[in-house]
Amino acid sequence: MKIDRSTLSPQHRKYLLHKKHQTIAVRLWQVGVLVIFLGIWELLAQLGAIDSFITSCPSKIGVTFWELTVQGTLWRHVLVSTYETVVGFVIGTVLGYAIGVALWWNESVKRILEPYLVVLNSLPKIALGPLIILWFGTGNLSIIVMAVIISVIITAINMLTGFCETDADKILLMRAMHANRWQIFTKLVAPANVPTLMSTLKINVGMAWVGSIMGEYIVSKEGIGYLLVYGAQTYRLDLVMTCTIVLCIMAGLMYYVVALIEKWVLKRRSR
């Protein structure tokens, strides 16, 4: 819904202009901090204050990025990791949401299985790596399963917590109006927990990337995680830093997409 500025008071216009200037200032500072950091990093490396063999430097990272881009190597590995992450993210979120609904639906099942969710959430998922490889092979499927395992537990716990914290008085009111379990969920519980789902999606972006990169560490011949391991084993720290920066960019873009989806969903809810 667009604001008709002709109907705004001078004070309101001044306030909106101030907020706009604040937003621009924040963006400029964000860019400025990054530029200053990279400049100091490069300067220290050129002056020999830090060992660029160990820490690399922006100029070496830029050269490595350009070489990998020209060769076509970088984008092939990025596409592989992105595919594994997105598939794991979607499956983990959908499956975790379904588990959360199932546990909320049946109190007895919730009381029985909730402790297992807590234990699985506390378990270092990398410990399951050897089992996943034996069960699902050494291909992309194992990496996707790793991403799913990491994100599904978080989703299930977050959504179950949100479902259980839905306003009890409203639920009681719907029961007094003879609403069944399905109606209570679809008309009250699920809509009330859209913000919980959106925040869980944001968390799952990071979790899915952790799962896919972790899987590529263990078993992979392609992907960003493979390049990271290869760079570390061959002492090519410029390659390691390049892959790390690319990974940050990809995770940031995926987070931005989720944020746009959240904005669109919340905008539709407000209508």
Side-chain angles (χ1 to χ4, degrees):
M1 182 179 177
K2 293 184 177 180
I3 299 175
D4 185 1
R5 293 184 176 272
S6 62
T7 62
L8 300 178
S9 65
Q11 292 80 6
H12 197 178
R13 291 179 188 174
K14 185 177 180 180
Y15 170 77
L16 292 177
L17 184 61
H18 176 68
K19 294 294 290 184
K20 183 179 180 180
H21 288 166
Q22 276 190 328
T23 302
I24 294 173
V26 168
R27 295 290 181 265
L28 290 175
W29 271 108
Q30 288 173 339
V31 174
V33 168
L34 178 61
V35 171
I36 292 170
F37 172 76
L38 293 176
I40 293 174
W41 184 8
E42 180 68 26
L43 180 62
L44 292 175
Q46 295 298 329
L47 294 176
I50 58 175
D51 189 349
S52 60
F53 176 78
I54 297 176
T55 63
S56 191
C57 62
S59 59
K60 288 186 176 181
I61 293 171
V63 171
T64 303
F65 179 83
W66 176 254
E67 290 176 350
L68 292 174
T69 303
V70 171
Q71 295 168 2
T73 305
L74 180 63
W75 303 120
R76 176 170 62 86
H77 290 289
V78 167
L79 287 174
V80 169
S81 294
T82 302
Y83 165 76
E84 294 163 348
T85 302
V86 171
V87 173
F89 170 82
V90 172
I91 295 175
T93 300
V94 172
L95 189 57
Y97 190 91
I99 292 172
V101 172
L103 295 181
W104 172 84
W105 200 279
N106 192 308
E107 181 64 25
S108 297
V109 174
K110 171 181 172 291
R111 294 177 63 185
I112 293 170
L113 297 182
E114 191 172 19
Y116 292 100
L117 280 180
V118 175
V119 171
L120 288 174
N121 187 48
S122 304
L123 175 70
K125 309 304 182 296
I126 196 170
L128 300 175
L131 290 175
I132 292 173
I133 294 170
L134 290 173
W135 292 342
F136 299 98
T138 58
N140 292 40
L141 181 59
S142 293
I143 299 169
I144 292 173
V145 170
M146 181 70 78
V148 169
I149 288 175
I150 288 183
S151 57
V152 69
I153 304 300
I154 294 292
T155 305
I157 291 176
N158 284 357
M159 296 314 304
L160 177 60
T161 301
F163 293 155
C164 293
E165 291 179 352
T166 305
D167 194 327
D169 291 335
K170 292 181 180 179
I171 293 176
L172 186 62
L173 176 61
M174 291 193 69
R175 284 176 177 168
M177 298 173 67
H178 305 290
N180 57 36
R181 196 75 167 169
W182 175 251
Q183 290 171 326
I184 292 173
F185 178 77
T186 55
K187 302 297 184 181
L188 174 61
V189 177
N193 283 280
V194 169
T196 303
L197 176 59
M198 292 297 105
S199 63
T200 302
L201 288 177
K202 291 180 178 179
I203 295 172
N204 279 353
V205 169
M207 293 296 100
W209 275 106
V210 168
S212 61
I213 298 302
M214 188 186 300
E216 289 173 354
Y217 278 169
I218 300 172
V219 49
S220 180
K221 293 183 179 179
E222 53 186 355
I224 300 177
Y226 165 77
L227 281 182
L228 284 167
V229 173
Y230 174 76
Q233 291 175 342
T234 57
Y235 294 95
R236 290 189 57 190
L237 275 300
D238 53 338
L239 177 59
V240 173
M241 294 301 295
T242 301
C243 291
T244 302
I245 291 173
V246 170
L247 181 59
C248 290
I249 293 172
M250 296 306 300
L253 288 175
M254 191 168 169
Y255 183 93
Y256 181 70
V257 170
V258 172
L260 288 178
I261 294 173
E262 177 187 30
K263 186 177 180 180
W264 177 77
V265 170
L266 296 179
K267 186 176 181 180
R268 285 183 60 88
R269 287 187 71 207
S270 63
R271 289 179 180 177

